[in-house]
Amino acid sequence: MKNKKLKIAFFGSSLVSAYWNGAATYYRGIVRALSERGHQVTFYEPDAYDRQKNRDMDDPDWAKVVVYEATEEAVAVCLKEAANAGMVVKASGVGVFDELLEREVLQLQTEERLVVFWDVDAPATLDRVHNNTEDQFHQLIPQYDMILTYGGGDPVVNAYEALGAKKCVPIYNALDTATHYPVAPDPKFACDLAFLGNRLPDREERVEEFFLKTAAATPDKQFMIGGSGWGDKPMSENVSYIGHVYTNDHNAFNCTPKAVLNISRESMARYGFSPATRVFEAAGAGACIITDYWEGIDFFFEPGKEILVAKNGAEVSEILSNLSEENAKEIGEAAYRKVLSAHTYSHRAAQLEKLLYTKVKHTNTAWA
């Protein structure tokens, strides 16, 4: 059984474009690692939100990418094709016909074919169903063979199991060593503290506290913010806004500043155990990371040695004022060693593979 390889049909937001698509790094890391272990993944993504116009990679050789029109008819065609797989994945936040997909992928479920809901934003999904008892997803959760999440720990697992999930397992974000690694510094990203993240409603207040307030209170330091949507946001003169940062620039963005800042979305911080993909990207580049506090940080990194933790903007200012170049380098190197030893997508794929082998029938004809 351990030599069997699985055909997977994956419905997600986008594999080939990170434009307004924070899950891109996660998808790429997981799918590539599964391919390296011999599994065959077909990734179905809608042509929506100008993502195809802002692709940052060609179709990879480690997955088949099917871009479909944002119509119900096109979704139906993809679902029919997905019946050839041994596992069908519906990810959260596809962005087009999510409720239709949540419901219809379950029609593909058989004794030999797993149907999995993969939640890349569990706090948002759980808030959604808790705030609307009429949401169809209430009835669908118990029907999936399992729920996978990219974060959340026990709070998310317990919440899903309380809603009737048969099994809920976090497959945490990690480092994709093929795309994120140390590079030479780039002067255009030179600053004391850099932050990368799109402007989102449940992140903005925390960005104001941990980044913008810090910059205003530390006029002798230089700050940089990247990501979409911040153009009309008031900022102090020592902050440079550089807009969307394409994936091929992420390594230099992480390697160049003295430190990089991670700011969790409010919902992620509330549930805990939800490190953003950019934490592992930055660690993979050997960056010194300063993060806002969230429960479970020490499950991934040792605070003070591999990552620096702040509970508010004042603590970010204090850390930055006392942080030497030498100390920043030591912390970045320690974080780099940790992710290579325990937090790569190869580690996550091995975990997922072990989980699937316990669920899939030996008679499954969709194993290659």
Side-chain angles (χ1 to χ4, degrees):
M1 185 65 177
K2 290 186 178 181
N3 294 321
K4 297 289 186 178
K5 303 304 175 185
L6 186 61
K7 298 176 183 177
I8 303 170
F10 202 120
F11 289 86
S13 52
S14 180
L15 190 70
V16 298
S17 176
Y19 187 71
W20 282 105
N21 179 32
T25 297
Y26 182 67
Y27 289 149
R28 293 169 186 176
I30 287 287
V31 173
R32 187 201 300 268
L34 287 171
S35 174
E36 290 173 350
R37 299 179 75 86
H39 304 292
Q40 301 172 18
V41 179
T42 300
F43 196 98
Y44 295 93
E45 60 179 79
D47 187 355
Y49 306 107
D50 286 332
R51 287 180 181 138
Q52 298 306 314
K53 296 178 182 178
N54 291 278
R55 290 171 61 129
D56 54 346
M57 65 179 287
D58 295 326
D59 286 4
D61 57 9
W62 36 266
K64 178 182 178 182
V65 177
V66 176
V67 179
Y68 59 91
E69 293 183 7
T71 66
E72 290 190 36
E73 293 77 13
V75 172
V77 171
C78 294
L79 287 167
K80 185 176 180 180
E81 292 179 3
N84 294 316
M87 181 170 79
V88 179
V89 174
K90 162 63 177 79
S92 65
V94 172
V96 174
F97 299 115
D98 272 292
E99 292 188 1
L100 172 67
L101 283 166
E102 287 168 1
R103 181 175 65 250
E104 293 303 316
V105 291
L106 286 164
Q107 301 305 310
L108 302 176
Q109 190 177 46
T110 68
E111 285 292 319
E112 298 179 353
R113 183 182 301 112
L114 292 178
V115 175
V116 173
F117 185 79
W118 201 322
D119 202 338
V120 297
D121 193 350
T125 306
L126 291 168
D127 285 350
R128 165 191 152 193
V129 294
H130 286 147
N131 293 334
N132 180 11
T133 57
E134 301 301 318
D135 193 307
Q136 68 160 10
F137 200 52
H138 274 283
Q139 285 70 47
L140 300 181
I141 289 172
Q143 298 180 45
Y144 286 95
D145 289 293
M146 69 177 78
I147 306 289
L148 302 177
T149 73
Y150 92 157
D154 287 344
V156 164
V157 171
N158 294 338
Y160 259 117
E161 290 182 349
L163 290 165
K166 295 174 184 174
K167 191 175 187 66
C168 178
V169 180
I171 306 293
Y172 291 110
N173 293 334
L175 169 66
D176 183 350
T177 56
T179 57
H180 294 98
Y181 42 79
V183 298
D186 187 329
K188 70 182 179 183
F189 297 126
C191 62
D192 294 289
L193 185 67
F195 168 72
L196 179 60
N198 294 331
R199 188 177 183 178
L200 297 171
D202 76 337
R203 175 186 283 145
E204 186 165 357
E205 184 176 341
R206 295 174 70 82
V207 172
E208 291 173 354
E209 169 64 29
F210 286 88
F211 183 78
L212 297 178
K213 181 178 176 181
T214 299
T218 320
D220 59 322
K221 304 292 184 183
Q222 295 300 309
F223 297 76
M224 183 173 292
I225 181 170
S228 299
W230 298 105
D232 62 350
K233 185 74 175 177
M235 302 180 189
S236 54
E237 292 184 358
N238 59 336
V239 179
S240 299
Y241 173 52
I242 59 174
H244 178 70
V245 180
Y246 284 93
T247 304
N248 57 7
D249 278 329
H250 282 194
N251 289 328
F253 183 92
N254 289 320
C255 283
T256 306
K258 179 188 287 186
V260 298
L261 181 65
N262 173 66
I263 305 173
S264 306
R265 288 169 37 217
E266 186 280 329
S267 56
M268 292 293 190
R270 175 160 38 90
Y271 277 91
F273 292 87
S274 300
T277 53
R278 292 193 178 96
V279 171
F280 296 106
E281 288 183 15
C288 174
I289 304 166
I290 302 173
T291 183
D292 59 336
Y293 173 79
W294 37 272
E295 184 181 359
I297 292 173
D298 54 357
F299 182 80
F300 303 96
F301 297 98
E302 182 179 342
K305 181 179 179 181
E306 298 166 340
I307 197 168
L308 300 174
V309 182
K311 294 186 177 180
N312 51 49
E315 290 191 2
V316 177
S317 297
E318 183 179 357
I319 289 171
L320 199 58
S321 296
N322 295 324
L323 185 64
S324 67
E325 291 285 355
E326 182 180 11
N327 193 22
K329 183 178 181 181
E330 290 175 353
I331 292 169
E333 290 175 348
Y336 181 61
R337 290 192 296 271
K338 172 57 72 69
V339 290
L340 289 182
S341 67
H343 300 301
T344 70
Y345 280 111
S346 293
H347 292 101
R348 305 296 190 249
Q351 175 196 359
L352 177 59
E353 190 175 73
K354 183 177 180 180
L355 177 67
L356 294 178
Y357 282 138
T358 66
K359 294 287 292 184
V360 180
K361 303 289 186 182
H362 284 247
T363 57
N364 193 329
T365 57
W367 286 72

